[in-house]
Amino acid sequence: MTEIKNLPKSKIEVISKIPFSQWEKYIESAVKKFAQSMKIEGFRPGKAPREVIEQNVGQDAILYEAGEMAMKKHWESVIRENKLQVIGRPRGDIQAISLGNDLEYRIVTDVMPEVKMNDIWKEKVKDFVSKEKSSEKIDIDSPEVTKEINRLAQSRALHSVVEREAQEGDNVKLDFQVLVDKVPIEGGTSKDHAIILGSGVFIPGFEEKIIGMKSGEEKTFELAFPETYHAKHLAGKNATFEVKLNVVEQRELPEINDAFAISIGKFKDLSDLKLSISKGMTQEKYEREEQEKRSHIMDILLENVEMELPEILLEEELHAMLHDFEYRVTSSGISFEQYLQQVKKTREDISEMFKESAKKRVMGNLVFSEIAQEEKIEPSSQEIQTHMNSTLAQYGGVKDIEKKIDMNRLYALSRGELMNNKVWEILEKK
């Protein structure tokens, strides 16, 4: 007899009984297990009789060991017969066990949630997609292309030291220290810091104070950090800036012509460079709009779904996101602990920051699985194999890569990615 009770957050409680006639056989198995692990004088390992084992470990220990074996086997049949989609590690315990009587056990486990989607989402997605416009190509003479050409010219400016007052557009190198309440702020001291006057990279008013200074000149002035300054503890505060100008460099921009285009790379002339920039910007614009479009479609889906999110899925996604973030931080050359010290946060703070995104990701995956099931989407074996081969090809320089990668996991990831792509195709056609 098995009773299944639904619990909050997509958990279930299972209480089941196993007749003595079914679990009795596990007693002998439990005895053998104890016998193998015990050294009993006068008997070879595993050969001591049941009576001797009971004298050494007690009858209760043997019964509970047999009960654990029987419960594990019986639980597998409960999952099959009730078609339970169990996730995580079930937590089970024996409620009642004695010779000649039924064995009663209780298991609490997470299960895949029931995803309830109303039909409104189909019309909303269809309406949104029908109103979306395709990206228009960016013209080679558009302001965006001109701005990028000018940026390239700025990056290739020639610098020459001059003995005159600093002017807007000059590149200067200076030492500075920033104090608030006469105390230097963290990260507010720099030596030979290069800055292009007029670029607006410092707080408002700073670069204007440097204009007119000569190399070797020192100056102290007061400025207030903007109310919207990213470091909240400095926003709106008055600060003292102690500055010494070391070098003034005049910047000479290259003439923007065919020769300039050829110097940039493999371009025939200026028109060819502009065309390349135009294509790149159009592609970036398309990808950005596609990302925004998919984000909006996902919002529509999540607004029209009901489910009780299992904690285990959220925890796993948070763990994955935190691990990925830690990898990106350490790839920049500092340890994750150093990063946490710099931003004055803990791992728990970072995890909390990701919580909403993790929840959205998990719910999105569950919704996509529901849609795939409804639409009878299933990638073919050939598609999955091709995708796996493409992934493995990225590790072309790694010897015996198939032996170093969990191929079952790669299969599951490839299948999942292909299935999601097919779901997106359906959604974007609605």
Side-chain angles (χ1 to χ4, degrees):
M1 181 188 77
T2 299
E3 178 186 349
I4 300 176
K5 179 182 177 183
N6 290 322
L7 301 177
K9 297 184 179 179
S10 198
K11 295 179 186 289
I12 59 170
E13 178 188 60
V14 178
I15 296 176
S16 192
K17 289 183 179 181
I18 310 174
F20 180 67
S21 59
Q22 291 182 20
W23 73 268
E24 180 184 15
K25 60 185 176 183
Y26 292 99
I27 296 176
E28 195 60 38
S29 299
V31 170
K32 288 181 180 179
K33 183 177 179 180
F34 279 114
Q36 290 288 346
S37 62
M38 295 174 65
K39 289 184 179 180
I40 301 175
E41 191 175 344
F43 297 95
R44 285 181 295 163
K47 297 300 182 180
R50 175 173 171 177
E51 295 78 15
V52 175
I53 299 298
E54 284 186 357
Q55 288 173 8
N56 280 269
V57 301
Q59 187 184 75
D60 285 349
I62 293 173
L63 288 181
Y64 271 90
E65 183 62 36
E68 292 283 345
M69 294 178 177
M71 177 175 66
K72 183 179 178 180
K73 195 67 178 176
H74 190 262
W75 172 238
E76 293 173 0
S77 65
V78 170
I79 292 175
R80 286 194 306 271
E81 291 168 8
N82 294 277
K83 297 179 180 178
L84 300 178
Q85 291 182 291
V86 175
I87 52 177
R89 290 188 176 181
R91 297 160 295 284
D93 57 90
I94 294 171
Q95 302 289 294
I97 186 170
S98 60
L99 280 173
N101 294 306
D102 293 348
L103 183 159
E104 183 177 328
Y105 69 87
R106 172 181 176 269
I107 284 181
V108 174
T109 185
D110 295 277
V111 292
M112 291 297 286
E114 182 183 2
V115 180
K116 299 177 182 176
M117 299 187 69
N118 58 45
D119 289 334
I120 299 175
W121 73 266
K122 295 180 181 179
E123 279 304 314
K124 286 188 174 181
V125 170
K126 183 178 179 180
D127 185 54
F128 170 73
V129 172
S130 66
K131 291 178 180 176
E132 280 293 288
K133 294 180 180 178
S134 300
S135 298
E136 293 181 5
K137 184 178 178 181
I138 296 176
D139 186 76
I140 62 171
D141 292 319
S142 70
E144 295 102 314
V145 173
T146 301
K147 184 177 179 180
E148 180 60 17
I149 292 284
N150 289 334
R151 188 194 67 78
L152 288 171
Q154 291 281 349
S155 69
R156 283 161 173 75
L158 296 175
H159 292 190
S160 55
V161 177
V162 291
E163 295 297 330
R164 59 164 171 76
E165 294 180 345
Q167 302 173 359
E168 184 171 341
D170 286 343
N171 183 73
V172 298
K173 295 177 182 177
L174 43 83
D175 302 338
F176 67 84
Q177 181 172 242
V178 187
L179 303 94
V180 172
D181 298 329
K182 299 182 179 179
V183 178
I185 66 171
E186 184 179 358
T189 301
S190 185
K191 296 287 185 182
D192 260 348
H193 192 95
I195 178 176
I196 298 173
L197 297 179
S199 59
V201 295
F202 271 66
I203 67 171
F206 181 87
E207 292 168 34
E208 288 81 353
K209 295 285 186 181
I210 307 302
I211 291 174
M213 291 179 66
K214 291 184 176 181
S215 58
E217 186 177 343
E218 298 183 18
K219 181 186 281 190
T220 299
F221 50 87
E222 305 287 325
L223 285 175
F225 283 96
E227 294 291 344
T228 56
Y229 194 64
H230 63 88
K232 300 301 180 186
H233 66 291
L234 295 176
K237 286 194 174 183
N238 291 319
T240 301
F241 292 78
E242 298 175 349
V243 178
K244 179 185 177 184
L245 185 60
N246 298 325
V247 177
V248 178
E249 295 177 336
Q250 180 174 290
R251 300 172 67 250
E252 184 178 348
L253 297 178
E255 186 179 350
I256 298 174
N257 52 24
D258 291 342
F260 169 74
I262 293 169
S263 72
I264 295 294
K266 296 180 179 180
F267 302 104
K268 295 181 294 184
D269 50 30
L270 184 58
S271 294
D272 193 26
L273 172 60
K274 287 182 176 181
L275 181 60
S276 176
I277 292 173
S278 170
K279 287 180 178 178
M281 285 186 162
T282 300
Q283 182 62 27
E284 285 179 15
K285 181 183 177 185
Y286 169 78
E287 290 173 357
R288 186 170 60 251
E289 289 176 352
E290 281 296 296
Q291 190 174 6
E292 290 172 357
K293 181 174 74 174
R294 289 190 170 188
S295 179
H296 189 86
I297 291 174
M298 182 60 75
D299 287 340
I300 293 174
L301 297 175
L302 298 185
E303 286 167 4
N304 292 278
V305 67
E306 288 182 23
M307 71 174 80
E308 289 195 69
L309 194 61
E311 290 177 336
I312 181 105
L313 294 182
L314 183 57
E315 289 169 3
E316 288 176 352
E317 188 61 37
L318 271 172
H319 177 77
M321 291 177 73
L322 190 61
H323 178 76
D324 180 61
F325 181 70
E326 184 173 347
Y327 174 78
R328 284 186 279 120
V329 167
T330 53
S331 296
S332 67
I334 64 170
S335 71
F336 196 55
E337 286 66 32
Q338 288 175 319
Y339 168 79
L340 292 174
Q341 289 174 2
Q342 287 179 11
V343 298
K344 294 181 171 60
K345 292 186 182 295
T346 64
R347 285 177 177 270
E348 290 70 26
D349 294 331
I350 303 296
S351 183
E352 188 64 30
M353 285 168 49
F354 289 148
K355 202 166 188 177
E356 197 57 38
S357 295
K359 181 180 178 181
K360 189 172 181 178
R361 278 195 195 182
V362 174
M363 291 181 69
N365 288 335
L366 292 170
V367 167
F368 265 44
S369 294
E370 181 68 17
I371 294 174
Q373 188 175 344
E374 181 181 321
E375 299 286 343
K376 295 181 173 56
I377 294 173
E378 183 58 50
S380 68
S381 299
Q382 184 59 48
E383 287 176 316
I384 296 172
Q385 189 61 53
T386 300
H387 191 281
M388 290 174 67
N389 291 340
S390 176
T391 302
L392 291 171
Q394 296 174 22
Y395 300 89
V398 182
K399 187 178 180 181
D400 297 327
I401 187 62
E402 290 87 351
K403 297 177 182 178
K404 299 175 182 178
I405 287 182
D406 185 339
M407 297 303 286
N408 289 330
R409 178 170 169 76
L410 178 58
Y411 181 93
L413 289 173
S414 297
R415 175 181 175 273
E417 189 171 332
L418 287 168
M419 195 162 67
N420 284 350
N421 289 341
K422 289 176 181 288
V423 171
W424 276 121
E425 286 177 14
I426 289 175
L427 292 173
E428 288 169 337
K429 287 177 181 177
K430 283 189 178 296

